[in-house]
């Protein structure tokens, strides 16, 4: 392939051209500009680009290969050697540090990504690309493509009961961007703290704090967030996951929903509704609750994303907000970027319009229900006294362990058995003694794999219990 590379040479220098090329490439590698595995142009191509004899480049490459900077691979050309470790990737908003290599990764975000409908998405992308006009290739509207916002308004009204219009919708680069923009706008409204659910996502907690707001934990019980505690806190903004609380899986009760909407109206506060797992609901005999937003559309910002239903790599989400607040969010966004990539928006609009998204969700729910049932069966069989809580929804489940369980020892023991799982304590800002739990991402694993992973967790639990019993001193009667 006719690859290109920027190489600086000075013909009037006392240093030979060969030495200049060698020195330049060495320095680029040392400074991390040329990365391990980077393929370089052929000697003929680089010589032509630099207008030098090919032998000059051949000699430079040969010397760098001999010194260990480059490698010449038969049929694959010349590359920078792969002797350097890749730089650690910065964690995303809801991500974690780089995990150790394990056989079974049960973290809710650890590879827990749904199977992507490649063929259907490609067909929609092709149709969108073929129909795209010149305007569609220009900078996108800041609020998002009008076609997608129309389709989103129809879909969210039909499936979630969201009270919105295309004019009240904004397309964003995932929930992370939506939350960042809201954190930038709220202080201008006199709000410097944000209520968050406890337990909740530690990544969101850090993100809120680093965005300039003080995260204030509020307890969650079997009915969802404690609205009385919220009212007593003096807060005027709260972030909630009412349909399927993260991580416990509980659904906000109708009584609490009404109380939360009333709180927002009374204090002129704001509710950020994070509908993070979208249409993933497979609880038998129970319909998915409608959006909280419909109870107080003038006080609730409804946010959704494709990260759990299609792929987090798409970086596509949306928020529905009252127009005055949305205008402030748009002004805040104008200072940071120029909108969300157009062609992906058009492809998703076609995915919605054609009904393929609905079909994809039906298939994904059926698969996820099967995995959830396998998890529940494995817990019943291998972890006596443990119970899977919350609605059957989303890509993870909350497994409450017997009170005597040493959660930290169990998690460490599971890791020694090549199972990476997170304990419930890791999702709490404050200690919760006597409430051991596991947060298990299950939807991405085969049924047999889930059963085997839970067997290993059970073995770790038994080993932990045996170790604890031997550590207790025995006293003889006097």
């Amino acid at each position: 392939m006719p690859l290109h590379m920027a190489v600086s040479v000075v013909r009037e220098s006392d240093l030979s051209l060969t030495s200049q090329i060698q020195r330049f490439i060495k320095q680029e590698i040392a400074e991390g500009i040329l990365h391990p595995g980077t393929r370089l142009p052929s000697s003929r191509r680089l010589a032509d680009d630099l207008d030098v004899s090919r032998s000059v480049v051949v000699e430079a490459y040969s010397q760098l290969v001999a010194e260990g900077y480059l490698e010449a691979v038969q049929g694959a050309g010349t590359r920078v050697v792969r002797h350097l470790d890749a730089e650690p990737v910065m964690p995303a908003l809801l991500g974690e540090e780089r995990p150790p290599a394990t056989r079974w990764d049960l973290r809710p975000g650890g590879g827990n990504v749904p199977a992507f409908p490649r063929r259907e998405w490609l067909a929609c992308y092709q149709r969108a690309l073929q129909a795209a006009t010149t305007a569609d290739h220009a900078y996108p509207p800041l609020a998002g493509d009008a076609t997608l916002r129309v389709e989103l308004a129809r879909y969210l009204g039909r499936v979630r009961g969201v009270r919105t219009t295309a004019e009240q919708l904004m397309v964003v680069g995932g929930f992370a961007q939506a939350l960042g923009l809201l954190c930038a706008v709220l202080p201008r409204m006199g709000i410097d703290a944000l209520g968050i659910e406890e337990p909740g996502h530690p990544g969101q907690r850090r993100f809120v704090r680093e965005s300039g707001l003080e995260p204030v934990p509020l307890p969650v019980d079997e009915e969802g967030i404690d609205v009385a505690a919220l009212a007593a806190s003096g807060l005027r903004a709260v972030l909630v996951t009412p349909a399927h609380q993260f991580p416990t899986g509980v659904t906000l009760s109708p009584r609490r929903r009404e109380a939360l909407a009333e709180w927002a109206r009374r204090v002129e506060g704001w509710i950020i509704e994070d509908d993070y797992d979208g249409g993933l609901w497979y609880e038998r005999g129970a319909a998915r609750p409608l959006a909280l937003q419909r109870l107080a559309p003038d006080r609730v910002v409804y946010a959704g994303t494709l990260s759990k239903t299609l792929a987090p790599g798409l970086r596509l989400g949306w928020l529905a907000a009252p127009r005055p607040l949305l205008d402030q969010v748009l002004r805040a966004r104008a200072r940071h970027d120029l909108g969300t990539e157009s062609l992906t928006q058009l492809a998703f609009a076609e995915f919605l319009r054609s009904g393929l998204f609905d079909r994809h969700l039906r298939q994904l729910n059926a698969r996820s229900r099967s995995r959830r049932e396998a998890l529940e069966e494995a817990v019943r069989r291998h972890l006596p006294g443990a119970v899977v809580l919350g609605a059957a929804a989303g890509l993870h489940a909350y497994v409450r362990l017997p009170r005597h369980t040493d959660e930290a020892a169990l998690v460490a023991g599971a890791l020694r058995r090549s199972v990476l799982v997170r304990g419930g304590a890791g999702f709490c800002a404050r200690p919760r003694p006597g409430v051991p739990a596991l947060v298990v991402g299950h939807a991405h694993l085969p049924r047999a794999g889930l059963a085997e992973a839970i067997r290993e967790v059970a073995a770790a639990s038994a080993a932990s219990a045996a170790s604890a019993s031997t550590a207790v001193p025995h006293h003889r009667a006097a």
Side-chain angles (χ1 to χ4, degrees):
M1 294 178 64
L3 301 177
H4 300 275
M5 182 172 66
V7 177
S8 177
V9 295
V10 179
R11 298 184 187 278
E12 295 78 18
S13 172
D14 292 336
L15 200 63
S16 70
L17 292 172
T18 295
S19 297
Q20 288 186 56
I21 294 171
Q22 286 177 239
R23 178 175 292 184
F24 181 87
I25 293 176
K26 279 184 184 180
Q27 185 172 350
E28 297 292 281
I29 293 173
E31 294 181 2
I33 298 170
L34 284 177
H35 298 265
T38 299
R39 186 176 173 185
L40 303 188
S42 68
S43 57
R44 187 183 303 278
R45 170 60 61 181
L46 184 57
D48 287 346
D49 290 345
L50 297 178
D51 194 21
V52 299
S53 168
R54 184 187 176 197
S55 62
V56 169
V57 179
V58 169
E59 184 180 350
Y61 276 8
S62 298
Q63 186 61 33
L64 289 168
V65 169
E67 294 179 17
Y69 287 92
L70 302 180
E71 59 182 354
V73 181
Q74 183 68 33
T78 304
R79 300 175 185 269
V80 178
V81 296
R82 302 176 184 270
H83 61 79
L84 298 176
D85 292 332
E87 287 295 316
V89 177
M90 290 296 291
L93 166 63
L94 304 183
E96 296 174 312
E97 300 300 328
R98 179 179 295 180
T102 53
R103 185 178 183 194
W104 303 115
D105 189 344
L106 300 184
R107 295 172 303 152
N112 203 14
V113 178
F116 191 79
R118 297 171 185 267
R119 184 175 59 185
E120 293 85 352
W121 181 262
L122 179 60
C124 289
Y125 201 96
Q126 286 178 325
R127 287 199 291 271
L129 193 59
Q130 288 166 353
T133 65
T134 302
D136 293 321
H137 293 278
Y139 289 106
L142 202 57
D145 181 82
T147 301
L148 176 55
R149 286 186 286 123
V150 168
E151 292 299 330
L152 273 174
R154 292 170 178 168
Y155 174 80
L156 294 174
R158 171 171 59 88
V159 178
R160 306 282 190 279
V162 175
R163 300 180 188 274
T164 193
T165 64
E167 290 71 29
Q168 294 174 296
L169 278 166
M170 177 180 180
V171 180
V172 291
F175 180 69
Q177 184 179 43
L179 183 57
L181 290 170
L182 290 167
C183 287
V185 165
L186 289 175
R188 297 179 202 142
M189 306 167 69
I191 297 173
D192 59 4
L194 180 66
I196 56 171
E197 296 170 324
E198 170 77 354
H201 204 295
Q204 276 188 349
R205 193 160 53 239
R206 290 193 302 270
F207 185 86
V208 168
R209 180 177 293 109
E210 291 170 2
S211 296
L213 294 183
E214 178 61 29
V216 179
L218 297 166
V220 168
D221 59 24
E222 65 277 1
E223 288 191 74
I225 193 168
D226 186 339
V227 182
L230 170 62
S233 69
L235 292 166
R236 288 185 52 225
V238 65
L239 171 62
V240 294
T241 51
H244 186 231
Q245 199 275 332
F246 186 89
T248 66
V250 302
T251 298
L252 191 64
S253 69
R255 181 174 69 90
R256 294 269 178 93
R257 284 171 168 256
E258 293 287 351
L260 187 55
E262 175 57 29
W263 164 84
R265 285 189 287 264
R266 186 174 65 254
V267 304
E268 296 186 346
W270 294 101
I271 302 167
I272 303 172
E273 180 178 5
D274 178 10
D275 193 9
Y276 67 97
D277 54 13
L280 294 176
W281 182 271
Y282 37 92
E283 178 76 13
R284 294 188 184 277
R288 189 183 194 279
L290 296 175
L292 171 69
Q293 183 263 6
R294 64 190 282 110
L295 297 181
D298 58 333
R299 288 285 135 199
V300 179
V301 180
Y302 174 90
T305 174
L306 292 181
S307 294
K308 300 295 185 292
T309 52
L310 277 175
L314 285 175
R315 304 314 305 138
L316 195 62
W318 50 87
L319 58 82
R323 191 68 222 190
L325 177 61
L326 188 64
D327 288 340
Q328 293 193 50
V329 174
L330 285 168
R331 283 195 291 272
R333 183 177 193 175
R335 291 189 290 271
H336 293 89
D337 67 40
L338 295 176
T340 303
E341 187 265 311
S342 298
L343 295 177
T344 298
Q345 292 188 63
L346 293 171
F348 183 52
E350 177 64 22
F351 206 59
L352 284 171
R353 182 170 48 244
S354 64
L356 289 172
F357 189 54
D358 287 74
R359 188 176 77 174
H360 168 70
L361 286 179
R362 288 183 183 278
Q363 295 171 344
L364 184 56
N365 275 315
R367 188 160 53 247
S368 298
R369 178 188 294 120
S370 172
R371 303 301 191 272
R372 167 81 175 218
E373 291 170 350
L375 174 65
E376 291 175 345
E377 173 61 27
V379 168
R380 280 194 299 268
R381 178 175 298 181
H382 302 296
L383 288 172
V387 60
V388 182
L389 298 181
L395 302 176
H396 79 281
Y398 192 79
V399 181
R400 187 180 63 199
L401 301 169
R403 284 190 171 272
H404 64 268
T405 304
D406 185 334
E407 180 189 293
L410 172 56
V411 169
L415 184 58
R416 288 193 291 272
R417 293 175 175 274
S418 202
V419 179
L420 183 56
V421 66
R422 292 292 184 245
F427 296 83
C428 298
R430 301 164 179 165
R432 299 179 78 203
V435 193
L438 298 176
V439 181
V440 179
H442 60 76
H444 63 302
L445 293 174
R447 291 175 61 93
L450 270 170
E452 184 174 343
I454 296 301
R455 276 199 302 270
E456 294 296 338
V457 170
S461 178
S464 172
S467 175
S469 65
T470 57
V472 175
H474 297 279
H475 302 282
R476 293 181 181 176

